Amino acid sequence: GTMAKKKAKKGKKAKTAKAAPTPIPSVHESQMKHLRSMLSAVENHSDYVRITVFISNWKFAYVDLLMRTTDTFETVQRELEDKHGMISDFKLFKNDNGTPPQPGEEITDLKQTLGAAGFKGGVLRPDRKIALPQNATERGILHCEFEPVIKGDVLDYDKMMVIDGKLQSAIEARAKIHLAK
């Protein structure tokens, strides 16, 4: 009776499953979903801080990061590794003015949170509630030193310029001038 019907149905389903692959949601769909969840999360946070990290041993380089005061300095290091590839000899300094870091300003405990180190968080700009560094209402400055393991890595903030008729990295060009001095 009913058992036989169920078995027959099951058999049919298995066959159709093999014939038609399960539809994979489009990248666009999943990106939009991710973006929507990010935007709603953004509305509720008041602990954002735009951290400008000056890379001291590369005089011409800096990176802007949108962090939260609950993030640790290890997170800052990971963000820099994402931009640069593997790095070594990493040192981080808390220094609010533009001067090169002084002895005693080094952050020795990378597990410490930005908030514990005195960075203040805030909401994102009400007119632009998108999680980007430039939309943070609070700012902080860090300095760091490191060596890229793979030499010649170029920062995100790089601009491509035409120099001597060739498209070149502005940072690399400045580095060559700097090293030539």
Side-chain angles (χ1 to χ4, degrees), residues 141-161:
I141 293 174
L142 285 170
H143 292 254
C144 79
E145 285 176 10
F146 63 82
E147 291 301 325
V149 173
I150 301 155
K151 299 288 180 213
D153 248 7
V154 174
L155 277 174
D156 262 12
Y157 265 76
D158 199 10
K159 291 183 178 60
M160 296 306 280
M161 290 166 61

Side-chain angles (χ1 to χ4, degrees), residues 23-176:
I24 298 160
S26 72
V27 176
H28 181 69
E29 242 174 77
S30 63
Q31 280 176 331
M32 287 307 291
K33 201 170 153 187
H34 176 70
L35 192 61
R36 272 195 292 275
S37 69
M38 259 178 60
L39 290 174
S40 66
V42 161
E43 300 281 327
N44 311 324
H45 296 312
S46 60
D47 59 352
Y48 284 107
V49 57
R50 172 184 183 170
I51 299 285
T52 300
V53 186
F54 289 101
I55 299 162
S56 305
N57 51 333
W58 301 22
K59 294 278 178 276
F60 33 73
Y62 71 93
V63 178
D64 264 333
L65 304 172
L66 181 69
M67 306 298 293
R68 296 180 57 199
T69 52
T70 50
D71 288 328
T72 65
F73 291 107
E74 277 176 339
T75 314
V76 175
Q77 181 177 1
R78 269 199 308 278
E79 289 279 335
L80 289 165
E81 282 175 339
D82 282 352
K83 293 187 185 307
H84 275 276
M86 286 171 64
I87 59 181
S88 64
D89 305 324
F90 183 76
K91 287 188 182 138
L92 205 52
F93 305 87
K94 187 174 190 281
N95 170 320
D96 293 334
N97 47 38
T99 65
Q102 307 301 310
E105 291 178 336
E106 188 174 348
I107 294 161
T108 49
D109 178 12
L110 294 181
K111 287 184 173 20
Q112 185 184 29
T113 65
L114 296 171
F119 288 98
K120 286 180 180 42
V123 293
L124 293 179
R125 288 175 48 179
D127 56 328
R128 293 196 197 147
K129 289 198 173 182
I130 297 173
L132 292 171
Q134 59 268 36
N135 296 336
T137 51
E138 293 292 335
R139 293 199 64 168
I141 293 174
L142 285 170
H143 292 254
C144 79
E145 285 176 10
F146 63 82
E147 291 301 325
V149 173
I150 301 155
K151 299 288 180 213
D153 248 7
V154 174
L155 277 174
D156 262 12
Y157 265 76
D158 199 10
K159 291 183 178 60
M160 296 306 280
M161 290 166 61
V162 177
I163 305 163
D164 301 329
K166 287 199 297 274
L167 194 63
Q168 293 181 33
S169 143
I171 285 180
E172 261 176 279
R174 283 200 296 268
K176 283 177 194 150

